[in-house]
Amino acid sequence: MSDLRYVIVRTYSAGVFAGELESRNGREVVLTNARRLWYWAGAATLSQLAVKGTSKPEQCKFPVAVPRVELLEAIEILDVTPASRQSIEGVPTWQE
């Protein structure tokens, strides 16, 4: 595991991502080992997901992690607890 902060980033129009915060410059954020949080269940809000994780991982839709993503227009960055990171990373990869 990396020493980088693991965060959830909500963007203006690209959705929500969880990953390691490589850098931030204003509203531009770079994440590594990042998953798009397409749909989550088992947490009422992103805040709860960041603090407690998901209680329903089988119902979440988190696609494969990408090595690096540059996100423009970040509007929220939430620190994720170690237990929540484990929960998010433990969600099976959603794919069609």
Side-chain angles (χ1 to χ4, degrees), residues 16-90:
V16 178
F17 293 78
E20 297 171 337
L21 182 61
E22 179 180 293
S23 66
R24 175 179 169 245
N25 183 9
R27 291 186 176 191
E28 296 182 13
V29 174
V30 177
L31 295 180
T32 56
N33 302 312
R35 292 181 84 178
R36 185 184 304 265
L37 305 184
W38 184 262
Y39 173 85
W40 65 90
T45 64
L46 288 176
S47 299
Q48 184 180 359
L49 187 62
V51 173
K52 296 193 172 206
T54 175
S55 64
K56 299 178 181 178
E58 68 286 348
Q59 293 180 25
C60 294
K61 294 181 179 179
F62 301 169
V64 65
V66 296
R68 186 173 185 277
V69 61
E70 294 182 36
L71 301 170
L72 308 178
E73 300 297 325
I75 56 176
E76 182 176 32
I77 300 173
L78 298 162
D79 284 322
V80 175
T81 65
S84 292
R85 178 179 183 166
Q86 187 174 11
S87 174
I88 291 166
E89 290 179 337

